[in-house]
Amino acid sequence: MGKKSGHTRPEAILHYLPFSDADEKLGMVCTTVGNVEVPPYVEYPPQKNKHPAIFRNVAEGRTLPNFHIIYITRGKGIFETEGKSYTVSPGSVFFLLPGVRHRYQPVFESGWHEYWVGFQGKNFSKLMEEGLLSREHVFFEARLHDSIIAIFNMIIDEVSIQAPLFQLKVCAGILSLIAEILTRNRRQDQTNNYQKIVEKAKSLMEAHVSDVINLLGISEQIGISTSRFNEIFKTYTSMTPYQYYMQLKIKKAADLLEQKSVSIKEVAYQLGFEDQYYFSRFFKKKTGVAPSAWRKLI
């Protein structure tokens, strides 16, 4: 294996991994990972016989039983799935979802360089159930980023060594990869004005953490409608303003509970809860620990 690079590795690396019952109990396993430089005028995929039969018909069309992420760092090509066709260029990344037919290949005259990782398990399937991964949005222009390449290279290194519990570390890397791609895509989709709106709203909420949230008042100070404020805030943070505000209250409550001279009743009062018992139930729901037990942990 060559040294790590901020860009691509010169040699082809491909791993198809067996996994144990213990690995599957994690709810997520890596099934394959690699990268390959496909030169111009070479049949795709190169070294076809080194791939299991299910993977060889990628250029003609196939359906896989698990998830894959493909990241292109050089060259150009096409990706087609469910009647849609995408032009692939450096920085393109696409998700292959279980049971969804697809095909992709580089332009014959240009070739490309690709990274890929395959994975499966109930915890990855949960990402589809919750809508983080969806059939409607499988292609992204993530651009070329050393951070994405570094995660792929880390996964490849861990798989090559296969130290004890490597699957756990590799799957953590896959989750980081998904988060990196989706986060970068979300930031690209949003204007700088979104960030300013959210930052101002957070500042207002922090300044009034002891009050009852006033969405109308916040949106009026920002200069947009309440519905638009809700939409922007949730798109940017993945939380509603109310959910974020209540998280602020929990954080503030935890800070106040460190002051043992302040009673739990006073903490509830300072944070605008209607009574101590409602506050205690809410605090335990969010932290897993009652305020009195939390105080003992300090």
Side-chain angles (χ1 to χ4, degrees), residues 17-20 22-33 67 69 117-125 127 151-152 154-156 158-159 163-180:
L17 304 173
F19 46 86
S20 66
D23 291 329
E24 288 193 280
K25 287 179 181 178
L26 294 172
M28 49 186 179
V29 293
C30 178
T31 57
T32 177
V33 66
F67 297 88
I69 300 173
V117 63
F119 48 97
Q120 65 186 50
K122 62 183 180 182
N123 289 331
F124 289 123
S125 297
L127 298 181
I151 297 172
F152 270 110
M154 180 279 287
I155 294 171
I156 290 170
E158 291 295 330
V159 166
L165 294 178
F166 82 95
Q167 278 281 3
L168 183 59
K169 191 167 184 178
V170 165
C171 288
I174 294 171
L175 289 172
S176 294
L177 184 62
I178 294 170
E180 186 77 13

Side-chain angles (χ1 to χ4, degrees), residues 17-57:
L17 304 173
F19 46 86
S20 66
D21 292 342
D23 291 329
E24 288 193 280
K25 287 179 181 178
L26 294 172
M28 49 186 179
V29 293
C30 178
T31 57
T32 177
V33 66
N35 80 104
V36 64
E37 181 77 36
V38 183
Y41 308 106
V42 170
E43 182 185 10
Y44 187 77
Q47 302 176 321
K48 184 174 287 191
N49 290 334
K50 290 188 177 181
H51 298 273
I54 193 173
F55 294 98
R56 295 174 192 165
N57 295 328

Side-chain angles (χ1 to χ4, degrees), residues 92-291:
S92 296
V93 59
F94 43 98
F95 287 76
L96 312 179
L97 303 180
V100 178
R101 189 167 179 82
H102 60 268
R103 66 178 292 267
Y104 58 89
Q105 65 181 23
V107 172
F108 192 60
E109 293 78 13
S110 72
W112 68 22
H113 179 275
E114 70 177 79
Y115 283 92
W116 77 85
V117 63
F119 48 97
Q120 65 186 50
K122 62 183 180 182
N123 289 331
F124 289 123
S125 297
K126 186 74 173 175
L127 298 181
M128 278 195 70
E129 294 171 15
E130 297 298 329
L132 282 174
L133 301 179
S134 72
R135 296 174 70 144
E136 290 73 34
H137 203 178
V138 293
F139 184 82
F140 305 87
E141 291 295 357
R143 304 177 186 172
L144 293 175
H145 288 285
D146 283 347
S147 57
I148 296 177
I149 293 170
I151 297 172
F152 270 110
N153 285 339
M154 180 279 287
I155 294 171
I156 290 170
D157 286 344
E158 291 295 330
V159 166
S160 298
I161 298 168
Q162 295 195 20
L165 294 178
F166 82 95
Q167 278 281 3
L168 183 59
K169 191 167 184 178
V170 165
C171 288
I174 294 171
L175 289 172
S176 294
L177 184 62
I178 294 170
E180 186 77 13
I181 293 166
L182 296 183
T183 298
R184 289 190 178 280
N185 179 73
R186 180 168 292 185
R187 287 173 181 167
Q188 290 172 19
D189 285 349
Q190 296 162 356
T191 65
N192 290 334
N193 192 46
Y194 276 28
Q195 183 177 355
K196 292 177 182 177
I197 288 171
V198 171
E199 286 177 352
K200 185 171 182 179
K202 286 182 176 180
S203 178
L204 289 168
M205 284 188 247
E206 288 168 6
H208 298 278
V209 69
S210 299
D211 303 329
V212 176
I213 189 169
N214 182 355
L215 294 181
L216 178 60
I218 292 173
S219 58
E220 284 179 346
Q221 289 189 62
I222 295 172
I224 57 177
S225 69
T226 303
S227 60
R228 182 63 174 154
F229 168 55
N230 270 295
E231 177 187 353
I232 290 172
F233 195 95
K234 187 172 183 181
T235 299
Y236 197 87
T237 67
S238 298
M239 289 187 284
T240 66
Y242 177 79
Q243 289 168 334
Y244 179 83
Y245 189 65
M246 298 311 289
Q247 289 291 343
L248 285 180
K249 284 185 179 288
I250 291 299
K251 182 178 182 300
K252 182 66 175 178
D255 292 340
L256 290 172
L257 288 169
E258 292 183 15
Q259 304 173 30
K260 297 191 178 181
S261 60
V262 182
S263 70
I264 293 173
K265 183 176 181 180
E266 288 176 302
V267 172
Y269 176 78
Q270 286 189 39
L271 291 174
F273 286 90
E274 56 191 43
D275 60 59
Q276 173 184 340
Y277 304 104
Y278 173 74
F279 163 69
S280 295
R281 290 195 301 272
F282 184 78
F283 188 91
K284 184 175 182 180
K285 179 181 178 181
K286 293 299 181 181
T287 66
V289 181

